[in-house]
């Protein structure tokens, strides 16, 4: 993807000179968790309680990559591969056990507040909206938290509205929004302070095709016209094909591929298929074998259908967590 984006102007812009805005660097990033192991034999629960035995489990093992400003990168892998742990280290939620990470020229876990003001995030069923407030009021509160003035706030919301059509429902309380409406509001909430980097975890899961395309158009606009860096995790390979030119695959805590989609297809395509024309889901099945069903969300989609229970998008919204409000708090 072309990373020489046009400069920001109008409602979006104003980067301080000398900052590496939008760049992400990870070098030998490692995260080890120490968990309690249950002992075998009689009274094992009591013995584990009195004298717990701790074992080390490596979730991320020496991960290295670099993302340039203005790139949209799909970060893919099966469940338990280390995706979420890596993203949490990039956002500053987790501290790495070893290695180096830098986002926007900052070390996220050491400069959490400064980092939070320069990144945005939309994570699955978590929401930044206040449940009993109209969506527009939630955006206004977040703008105040981030120090966005009234005029700039109106300009940015108007820019979001042109593609996401927020004005059709932004006077509705968050608890009454459908899943697709809530996620569109969450995208606006994550970008109201004009961050250089946006992290997205399954942004279109459970949406109908029309709303999915709206969100994809919005993300393309943010990357191509705003120069924003986007890191996307998803089980939807159609989303990957339409949005990303670069893919990072992680498995067992290690990077197994980092490159463009066409090369990935050539490396894992059937000999009968022309280079670059292989179906992406088939490519992932060849690359990950038995774990491909988790990567492609075959279990997740089944669970999502059960959770929605035939009540449409709104059922998904009712199950969302309480507001995460400001990452900077």
């Amino acid at each position: 993807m072309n990373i020489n984006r046009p400069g920001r102007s109008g409602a979006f812009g104003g980067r301080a000179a000398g900052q590496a805005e939008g760049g992400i660097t990870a070098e030998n990033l490692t995260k080890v968790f120490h968990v309690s192991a249950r002992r075998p034999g009689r009274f094992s629960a009591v013995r584990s309680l009195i004298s717990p035995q701790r074992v080390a489990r490596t979730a991320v093992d020496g991960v290295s990559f670099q993302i340039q400003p203005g790139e949209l990168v799909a970060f893919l892998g099966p469940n338990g591969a280390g995706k979420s742990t890596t993203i949490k280290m990039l956002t500053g939620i987790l501290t790495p056990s070893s290695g180096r990470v830098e986002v926007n020229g900052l070390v996220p876990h050491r400069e959490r507040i400064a980092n939070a003001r320069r990144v945005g995030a939309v994570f699955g069923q978590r929401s930044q909206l206040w449940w009993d407030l109209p969506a527009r009021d939630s955006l206004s509160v977040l703008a105040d938290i981030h120090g966005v003035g009234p005029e700039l706030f109106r300009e940015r919301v108007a820019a979001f509205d042109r593609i996401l059509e927020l004005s059709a429902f932004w006077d509705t309380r968050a608890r009454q929004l459908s899943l697709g409406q809530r996620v569109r509001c969450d995208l606006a909430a994550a970008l109201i302070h004009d961050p250089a980097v946006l992290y997205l975890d399954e942004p279109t899961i459970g949406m109908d095709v029309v709303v999915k395309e709206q969100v994809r158009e919005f993300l393309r606009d943010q990357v191509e016209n705003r120069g924003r860096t986007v890191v996307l995790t998803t089980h939807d390979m159609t989303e990957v094909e339409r949005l990303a030119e670069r893919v990072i695959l992680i498995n067992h805590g290690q990077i197994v591929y980092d490159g463009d989609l066409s090369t990935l297809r050539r490396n894992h395509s059937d000999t009968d298929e022309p280079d670059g024309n292989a179906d992406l889901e088939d490519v992932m099945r060849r690359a990950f074998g038995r774990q491909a069903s988790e990567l492609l969300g075959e279990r997740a989609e089944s669970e999502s259908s059960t959770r929605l229970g035939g009540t449409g998008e709104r059922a998904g919204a009712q199950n969302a967590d309480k507001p995460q409000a400001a990452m900077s708090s």
Side-chain angles (χ1 to χ4, degrees):
M1 184 172 286
N2 177 19
I3 63 173
N4 295 317
R5 305 299 181 198
R8 300 185 183 197
S9 60
F12 301 93
R15 299 298 182 209
Q19 288 184 325
E21 292 288 353
I24 300 174
T25 300
E27 291 182 0
N28 296 316
L29 204 57
T30 299
K31 183 63 181 178
V32 179
F33 292 99
H34 292 86
V35 298
S36 298
R38 186 164 180 172
R39 298 179 179 182
R42 293 183 65 189
F43 308 111
S44 58
V46 176
R47 284 188 293 156
S48 297
L49 181 64
I50 296 172
S51 179
Q53 186 177 37
R54 309 281 285 179
V55 296
R57 292 186 180 169
T58 303
V60 176
D61 187 7
V63 162
S64 296
F65 57 82
Q66 200 163 28
I67 298 175
Q68 299 298 324
E71 274 195 285
L72 193 157
V73 178
F75 194 59
L76 309 177
N79 294 335
K83 299 189 305 296
S84 296
T85 303
T86 303
I87 295 295
K88 286 176 181 177
M89 287 190 284
L90 295 181
T91 57
I93 295 172
L94 290 178
T95 300
S97 301
S98 63
R100 183 175 79 90
V101 59
E102 195 173 279
V103 178
N104 295 318
L106 302 171
V107 178
H109 57 279
R110 291 180 187 161
E111 302 166 275
R112 283 193 169 104
I113 294 177
N115 176 68
R117 294 190 182 278
R118 291 168 172 80
V119 302
V122 179
F123 288 150
Q125 293 295 313
R126 299 180 183 273
S127 179
Q128 296 191 74
L129 307 177
W130 278 263
W131 227 223
D132 292 311
L133 290 181
R136 180 160 53 177
D137 289 357
S138 288
L139 296 178
S140 179
V141 171
L142 289 167
D144 286 342
I145 289 172
H146 288 288
V148 179
E151 185 176 347
L152 199 54
F153 169 71
R154 286 192 293 270
E155 289 178 12
R156 289 179 181 175
V157 169
F160 299 148
D161 184 42
R162 279 194 288 273
I163 298 178
L164 296 177
E165 298 179 353
L166 303 178
S167 56
F169 49 80
W170 65 17
D171 288 322
T172 304
R173 291 183 180 185
R175 66 169 64 252
Q176 296 172 324
L177 296 174
S178 71
L179 178 61
Q181 291 169 341
R182 183 179 59 76
V183 172
R184 279 181 279 171
C185 288
D186 273 321
L187 280 169
L191 295 173
I192 200 67
H193 57 297
D194 192 26
V197 176
L198 177 64
Y199 301 104
L200 298 173
D201 179 30
E202 297 285 353
T204 62
I205 190 169
M207 292 184 186
D208 62 57
V209 287
V210 175
V211 177
K212 276 187 178 183
E213 193 50 47
Q214 270 186 311
V215 171
R216 289 167 185 160
E217 182 187 351
F218 179 74
L219 295 178
R220 281 192 291 265
D221 174 72
Q222 293 301 306
V223 174
E224 295 172 4
N225 299 324
R226 306 294 183 188
R228 219 177 296 278
T229 305
V230 177
V231 179
L232 169 72
T233 68
T234 181
H235 293 295
D236 187 342
M237 293 302 107
T238 302
E239 204 154 273
V240 175
E241 289 182 293
R242 295 195 179 181
L243 291 174
E245 291 183 12
R246 179 182 172 193
V247 174
I248 297 176
L249 302 183
I250 186 170
N251 199 17
H252 302 299
Q254 298 180 325
I255 300 293
V256 295
Y257 178 81
D258 182 357
D260 57 64
L261 275 175
S262 58
T263 303
L264 179 64
R265 281 190 165 103
R266 282 197 300 272
N267 291 347
H268 296 280
S269 64
D270 194 296
T271 53
D272 295 333
E273 297 167 330
D275 285 351
N277 292 336
D279 182 79
L280 192 54
E281 290 195 3
D282 290 339
V283 167
M284 293 301 173
R285 288 188 177 93
R286 295 187 189 106
F288 287 98
R290 293 180 179 178
Q291 290 179 295
S293 61
E294 296 176 5
L295 169 62
L296 298 174
E298 290 165 0
R299 296 181 188 177
E301 286 298 324
S302 174
E303 291 171 4
S304 177
S305 298
T306 303
R307 191 168 58 246
L308 292 174
T311 60
E313 291 180 345
R314 184 162 299 170
Q318 298 291 349
N319 291 329
D321 291 343
K322 293 182 179 179
Q324 299 302 300
M327 290 180 65
S328 58
S329 60

